[in-house]
Amino acid sequence: MNTYAAWAHPQLAVQVLRPRRDGCSEIALRVESLNDARQVLWLERRIRALPGVRRVAIDRPAQRVRVVWDAQRTSLPGLLDNFAAANCPAQPLQHDSIDDARSHEQHDALKRLLVAGMCSMQVMTYAFVIYIGVVDFVDFSTRNLFRWLGLLTTLPVVFYSAQPFFSGAVRELGERRLGINLPVALAVALVFLASTFNTLRGSGEIYFDSVTMFVFLLLGGRYVELRSRHRSGALGDAAIDATPLLAQRRRADGELETVAAIALLPGDRVHVAEGGTVPADGVLESAGVRVDEALLSGESHPLRRERGERLVAGSVLLSGPAELRVEHSGATTTVARLGALATRARQARSLIAASDREIGRFVARVLVLTVLTALGWLLVDPTRAFEAAVAVLVVACPCAFALTGPATLTRALGVLAGRGVLVTDGAALNALARVDHALFDKTGTLTVPQLDRRAVEPLRGDAVEQVLQLAAALAHESSHPLARALADAARQQALPLHAQSVQVHAGAGISGAVDGRELRLGRADFALAPAGQPVPAGTAGALLLADAQGAIAAFHLDEQPRVDARRTLDALRTDGIAATIASGDNETRVAALAARLGIDDWHARQSPADKLERLQAARAHGHATLAVGDGSNDAPVLAGADVSAALASGTELAQAHADLLLLDGRLDGLVDARAIARQVQRVMAQSRRWALLYNLCAVPFAAFGFVPPWLAGIGMSLSSLVVVLNALRVGGDAAPGRSDASGPAARPRELRA
């Protein structure tokens, strides 16, 4: 049986194929084995040789291949078979993944660069003939011919390659601000118009070689920065594409049927073969298995998952097979949620730029210097005024200064994404480098809660299974770590109960109706409030289940610090950051954890408002603050901090207010982010010092007529390239916050949708 025969079904093919106006079809494929350049070349040749294939585009960083072909000549299963025969098995992606924006932007920039490069070389050849005339005789008609050839060859550079600078300058003027495109556009326009005028009248200096070289080198710097930005954006695509589109669903009669993964519903039972990819988030109902979650977590070692634990969509089954009960599919899976956050992060990158006010001041000074230089030479030697003014305008262009921020931050965001830290706000790195005070939530952030059935204490003589069912019905409606631990403990119940009218009270507990009974689950004071009873003896610090008559059961949850919590806090303290724990839990638990982690400043029984008040007090004393949490009740303090971080296992509300997202659930990502933030500051300072030093040294020479326009263009463009290349140093060293400890014990098991 053909492995890919299911893709011949029209309902499946329509999910992945995008029809084109020319009658062809286009598809995006995920191909993991794109590690060797020779293999990539061989794969491209093999696919191009298939009947009807028009175009093949391979993106190695994103592990994506796009194919445009005539599906009537080569079927989709046949195309996939050829990928498999090339030892590069391919997984079709939904047609929404076919995004032309990135490739179009890169192709457009490359075409403009190539046109400028080819024309620049040709113009230099024509200019060489004219330069020879200085030392050797070249007749007038020959010099005039090569002037005209230079003009004609420069036209594509000015009206095509340089078009982004002119449109950018018009946009900046329309927004009433001074940006880097304005001096570039002025320089190109003035030099070209003056050279054209001198060509028409047959005398005077021409600078076609200068303007073409200037545009070419500047486009080269921008193209390098663009490739760096696109490569950073591609780092998140591999994880976004992790979920397969097909699944083996078990029917009521026990037989398997192939269905679209997006069509899976909660409660469906799915069969995953050994070596297969989990198609949805769900609960393992068969024997324990080993899974690879590297694409989601960055954890290189296999993880052990036992019966009753969650499997995450996109993870690969290393041992199996496995039977899975679906909980979340499609857009609600962990992978889809992380994909949405990655999109948010890439959108945030477009906002990364140096301060408009700084660039505006810089450009204003350049224009003033240009005018003063022209006026000075008009008084001394009018024939040299134009050349000197253009040289100042070009050599002092703030391109290198303005590229410093985008190039460095784009590199930093890509490095951190590869290390499991998603930065949703580029400005967060600047704030993180200044942080000296951190406030941590306890439960779910510094600790991992656990509940043993032997720690369930019925207070009215009910069976343990019965009170677990009642409590789990409420706990299932909350993503708080304590509620999740309780729900996991009750997962084996054959007939689960369901709650109605559920309300989550931040920092206190959950209320709702189960089987017609109004129940409360949470802190003792919250759970017993309707009954007005005192806390039963021996239940201090326990999670209580109560109704209007009083306590029903006590759940003595145990919790362990995350494996990297102590190491992370020690590293932050060494780096000058004072840590505080603010938790809604009782004093006993908070004090015990603080002692184990070596934290002296801790506070218990903290409501969300209390946490925010403590954070604001620290800011009032001049501290730059970092807040770290994972629950909905942490959202206010996350939003109020100078910079905030949330765990991928936390609630969506917490993640929505976080500047940093720790994708692998490990706190030492904060140490990585802090180190990268410090490095970003150093690299940006170096690049800006270089840009300013270059301008201070070059502008006087240009103003006094010692730098011709062509040399000014080379200097300015090389200065921009130095800035971009310097930005690539960010993250060049090994990750400072990661250790080699790994394995099942080194990774918390609460990653969930």
Side-chain angles (χ1 to χ4, degrees):
M1 178 180 176
N2 190 330
T3 306
Y4 302 103
W7 289 108
H9 196 288
Q11 290 184 351
L12 294 179
V14 74
Q15 295 186 60
V16 298
L17 296 182
R18 185 173 73 176
R20 293 165 54 94
R21 295 180 180 178
D22 58 4
C24 291
S25 298
E26 186 172 9
I27 190 171
L29 302 165
R30 169 180 167 78
V31 182
E32 294 185 10
S33 51
L34 293 178
N35 301 317
D36 186 84
R38 290 173 298 179
Q39 184 183 28
V40 171
L41 181 60
W42 186 69
L43 174 65
E44 183 175 0
R45 288 178 177 175
R46 181 186 180 98
I47 301 303
R48 285 186 182 277
L50 294 176
V53 172
R54 303 282 183 86
R55 185 161 66 91
V56 179
I58 300 178
D59 187 348
R60 286 180 62 188
Q63 297 182 338
R64 288 188 180 188
V65 177
R66 292 174 58 185
V67 182
V68 177
W69 90 110
D70 185 353
Q72 300 298 322
R73 301 182 63 188
T74 298
S75 66
L76 177 55
L79 179 68
L80 298 177
D81 281 337
N82 275 274
F83 273 90
N87 293 321
C88 296
Q91 171 189 312
L93 303 174
Q94 293 195 32
H95 55 69
D96 292 342
S97 301
I98 305 175
D99 182 10
D100 292 321
R102 186 187 299 170
S103 59
H104 176 75
E105 183 182 16
Q106 186 167 310
H107 289 161
D108 181 73
L110 181 59
K111 287 188 293 184
R112 296 181 191 277
L113 176 63
L114 291 177
V115 168
M118 291 186 292
C119 292
S120 176
M121 289 187 293
Q122 196 62 49
V123 171
M124 288 295 294
T125 303
Y126 300 146
F128 181 72
V129 176
I130 300 175
Y131 294 151
I132 290 178
V134 177
V135 295
D136 196 4
F137 175 75
V138 176
D139 63 86
F140 175 80
S141 59
T142 300
R143 288 200 307 269
N144 220 28
L145 171 64
F146 279 94
R147 282 171 175 260
W148 277 98
L149 290 175
L151 169 62
L152 295 176
T153 310
T154 304
L155 289 175
V157 177
V158 174
F159 290 98
Y160 175 69
S161 296
Q163 189 271 336
F165 303 120
F166 291 111
S167 59
V170 171
R171 185 170 57 253
E172 290 167 358
L173 291 175
E175 296 172 356
R176 297 184 179 181
R177 63 183 179 89
L178 296 177
I180 61 173
N181 290 301
L182 182 59
V184 173
L186 283 176
V188 172
L190 290 175
V191 172
F192 175 73
L193 291 175
S195 301
T196 301
F197 176 74
N198 289 338
T199 299
L200 293 174
R201 68 191 183 101
S203 62
E205 296 292 335
I206 59 172
Y207 307 101
F208 295 129
D209 54 337
S210 300
V211 71
T212 54
M213 189 186 310
F214 175 58
V215 172
F216 170 67
L217 293 176
L218 189 54
L219 287 175
R222 289 197 172 187
Y223 183 72
V224 171
E225 190 270 338
L226 179 68
R227 286 292 303 269
S228 175
R229 174 157 49 88
H230 284 180
R231 184 177 180 84
S232 298
L235 290 174
D237 289 343
I240 296 172
D241 299 339
T243 308
L245 294 184
L246 295 180
Q248 295 292 311
R249 182 171 62 187
R250 194 169 295 281
R251 299 197 308 242
D253 59 4
E255 295 296 323
L256 295 177
E257 60 177 344
T258 300
V259 298
I262 196 172
L264 294 175
L265 299 174
D268 283 348
R269 279 167 172 75
V270 175
H271 175 83
V272 184
E274 181 174 342
T277 303
V278 179
D281 292 353
V283 177
L284 180 64
E285 294 193 333
S286 56
V289 295
R290 292 168 61 247
V291 296
D292 178 4
E293 295 180 355
L295 275 175
L296 304 176
S297 68
E299 177 63 66
S300 59
H301 287 249
L303 305 175
R304 183 74 181 177
R305 293 288 184 259
E306 302 294 343
R307 184 192 302 270
E309 290 190 307
R310 286 183 177 84
L311 295 184
V312 183
S315 55
V316 179
L317 206 63
L318 300 180
S319 65
E323 294 291 326
L324 183 75
R325 187 178 79 250
V326 174
E327 285 191 333
H328 302 280
S329 64
T332 62
T333 63
T334 299
V335 170
R337 180 163 51 86
L338 295 184
L341 287 168
T343 300
R344 175 184 165 192
R346 286 198 291 271
Q347 291 172 347
R349 291 191 180 111
S350 65
L351 302 177
I352 299 173
S355 168
D356 285 344
R357 185 175 300 176
E358 290 181 354
I359 295 178
R361 287 199 299 262
F362 207 118
V363 172
R365 291 168 185 166
V366 170
L367 296 178
V368 170
L369 283 174
T370 303
V371 173
L372 292 177
T373 301
L375 293 176
W377 279 105
L378 286 174
L379 297 176
V380 177
D381 185 358
T383 61
R384 302 187 61 184
F386 178 78
E387 181 177 329
V390 169
V392 170
L393 183 63
V394 172
V395 82
C397 180
C399 295
F401 184 85
L403 275 176
T404 296
T408 308
L409 289 174
T410 297
R411 169 66 178 177
L413 296 183
V415 169
L416 286 175
R419 297 182 181 180
V421 181
L422 184 65
V423 182
T424 60
D425 184 357
L429 290 183
N430 292 329
L432 184 61
R434 297 182 285 103
V435 163
D436 59 0
H437 184 89
L439 187 147
F440 286 85
D441 172 52
K442 180 181 76 71
T443 306
T445 302
L446 294 175
T447 64
V448 181
Q450 298 175 340
L451 175 65
D452 193 312
R453 285 171 174 257
R454 292 170 294 182
V456 179
E457 181 184 359
L459 300 175
R460 295 185 187 173
D462 300 308
V464 170
E465 288 74 13
Q466 184 178 357
V467 296
L468 264 176
Q469 278 188 317
L470 293 173
L474 293 176
H476 274 299
E477 305 300 323
S478 173
S479 58
H480 191 279
L482 291 178
R484 286 297 183 187
L486 195 153
D488 289 341
R491 192 173 297 281
Q492 301 302 319
Q493 297 297 322
L495 297 173
L497 299 177
H498 299 283
Q500 292 83 34
S501 304
V502 176
Q503 290 186 346
V504 178
H505 306 264
I510 316 166
S511 64
V514 181
D515 275 355
R517 301 171 61 183
E518 294 292 334
L519 300 179
R520 286 192 170 205
L521 175 69
R523 286 184 352 200
D525 56 345
F526 167 78
L528 296 173
Q533 293 182 354
V535 179
T539 62
L543 202 64
L544 284 188
L545 175 68
D547 58 13
Q549 284 71 46
I552 299 174
F555 303 92
H556 301 271
L557 284 91
D558 189 19
E559 55 185 357
Q560 297 293 327
R562 291 185 180 271
V563 292
D564 59 343
R566 181 62 186 257
R567 183 173 64 249
T568 299
L569 291 171
D570 287 344
L572 294 178
R573 278 192 291 265
T574 302
D575 203 21
I577 299 178
T580 298
I581 296 179
S583 173
D585 209 346
N586 64 65
E587 289 85 352
T588 303
R589 289 181 177 275
V590 179
L593 177 69
R596 294 184 65 176
L597 298 180
I599 296 180
D600 298 325
D601 186 14
W602 57 269
H603 306 275
R605 302 290 185 185
Q606 298 289 291
S607 67
D610 294 332
K611 295 181 182 181
L612 182 58
E613 185 178 349
R614 292 195 176 278
L615 189 79
Q616 291 172 340
R619 295 185 66 182
H621 285 85
H623 294 291
T625 57
L626 164 69
V628 186
D630 75 325
S632 298
N633 60 324
D634 296 320
V637 73
L638 293 175
D642 292 302
V643 60
S644 56
L647 278 72
S649 56
T651 66
E652 293 184 3
L653 185 59
Q655 295 173 19
H657 289 85
D659 303 311
L660 310 174
L661 185 65
L662 308 180
L663 296 182
D664 57 5
R666 294 182 59 165
L667 291 172
D668 53 15
L670 292 172
V671 182
D672 283 346
R674 169 77 164 186
I676 294 296
R678 289 285 185 86
Q679 192 177 16
V680 164
Q681 282 198 330
R682 293 194 298 270
V683 170
M684 287 181 66
Q686 292 170 358
S687 296
R688 288 189 173 179
R689 281 197 298 269
W690 158 256
L692 292 173
L693 179 64
Y694 164 76
N695 280 358
L696 289 175
C697 294
V699 168
F701 288 97
F704 285 105
F706 297 115
V707 179
W710 65 269
L711 183 58
I714 293 177
M716 188 281 303
S717 301
L718 291 180
S719 178
S720 299
L721 282 174
V722 167
V723 166
V724 173
L725 294 176
N726 190 41
L728 298 180
R729 294 175 49 235
V730 172
D733 54 348
R738 302 285 167 138
S739 69
D740 293 333
S742 57
R747 173 166 168 76
R749 296 181 176 178
E750 73 285 8
L751 185 63
R752 60 182 175 275

